[in-house]
Amino acid sequence: MAAIIIDGKQLSTTKRNELAKEVEQIKEGGLLPKLVVILVGDNPASLSYIRGKKKAAEEIGVGFQLEHYPESLTEKELLDVIESYNNNDEYHGILVQLPLPAHIDETAVVETISPLKDVDGFHPVNIGRMMTGQDTFLPCTPAGIVEMIKSVGVEISGKNVVVVGRSNIVGKPVGQLLLNEHATVTYCHSKTQNLSSYTKDADILVAAVGRANFIKGEDIKPGAVVIDVGVNRLDTGKLCGDVVFDEAKEVASYLTPVPGGVGPMTITMLAHNTVQSAKRFLEGK
Ligand code: NDP
């Protein structure tokens, strides 16, 4: 039986409509939610992601400001820009687009963003809050993945989850969020021996590796929910995920496509975090 495709675009549209209503209410309360995105250099992928973020903000009525600096911007100058937005009450979300040029220390940048405006959910304070199950800004890709699984009514509690990938922005936090939902979580990575022995045991399989067509149909347990986070560009210019879509479709119960799966939901969760931040400001928290 062919898997049901979890349509990230469709789910995003529904969520963005809900967010637009929340923004209306915030505006009625006298506050205009605003997001600033800071970009250093001209990385084409970053520019494309930022266009998506701007579109999402505009769709839901959130103000959007792009601060675009040349590659030569120093770390000190960047930290000063961040501080100025930390202290500017007109902005409720600050996002520094990664990756940064090599001369800028990413950790210093992430730690300079006020945890109260860290809508990417990367600040160690917010990561700590996520780990301890407190209300906070959740990192966007992992939070979007949990929303996608829940959207199709799949029970997470008690399930065997296997996450392939352990990056700080995707693999680790998605495993943590699914653990918070009472799944039993296994992380796999480049040093894992006999990877398919783990993936074949997964009720929910999250592939966040960054290697085209890495997970084959034979690596998937029949009936599993498969979340494909990978975004890989083939020589043909076509985008594809970490999972062989046509094979997975025949084995999985639910499957996310690339493009049109996790990507749109990531951006929608950024919009969600910005709206939640504005609400907190309005409520004076
Ligand atoms: P990273 O490169 O930071 O992490 C990749 C992970 O995959 C690492 O933990 C690495 O292990 C693991 N890995 C690499 N090779 C293997 C292997 N042979 N077997 C098992 N594990 C392996 O990538 P990200 O987490 O940032 O991103 C992953 C993918 O998701 C990329 O394609 C990225 O473009 C995409 N992405 C998509 C987003 C979206 O919104 N759709 C958002 C963010 C990312 P180790 O730690 O041992 O090196």
Side-chain angles (χ1 to χ4, degrees), residues 22-33 92 275-285:
E22 281 190 62
V23 171
E24 274 307 311
Q25 284 169 4
I26 296 170
K27 285 180 179 168
E28 281 165 20
L31 189 142
L32 169 63
H92 314 98
V275 172
Q276 298 323 305
S277 181
K279 258 187 175 166
R280 283 192 208 159
F281 272 81
L282 192 60
E283 290 161 6
K285 284 182 192 164

Side-chain angles (χ1 to χ4, degrees), residues 49 141 164-167 169-171 188-191 195 208-211 214 229-232 242 262-263 266:
Y49 291 137
T141 301
V164 189
R166 57 172 168 177
S167 71
I169 61 166
V170 187
C188 298
H189 45 78
S190 67
K191 306 287 186 291
L195 180 74
V209 186
R211 287 179 169 223
F214 183 70
V229 188
V231 179
N232 309 292
D242 288 346
V262 174
T266 295

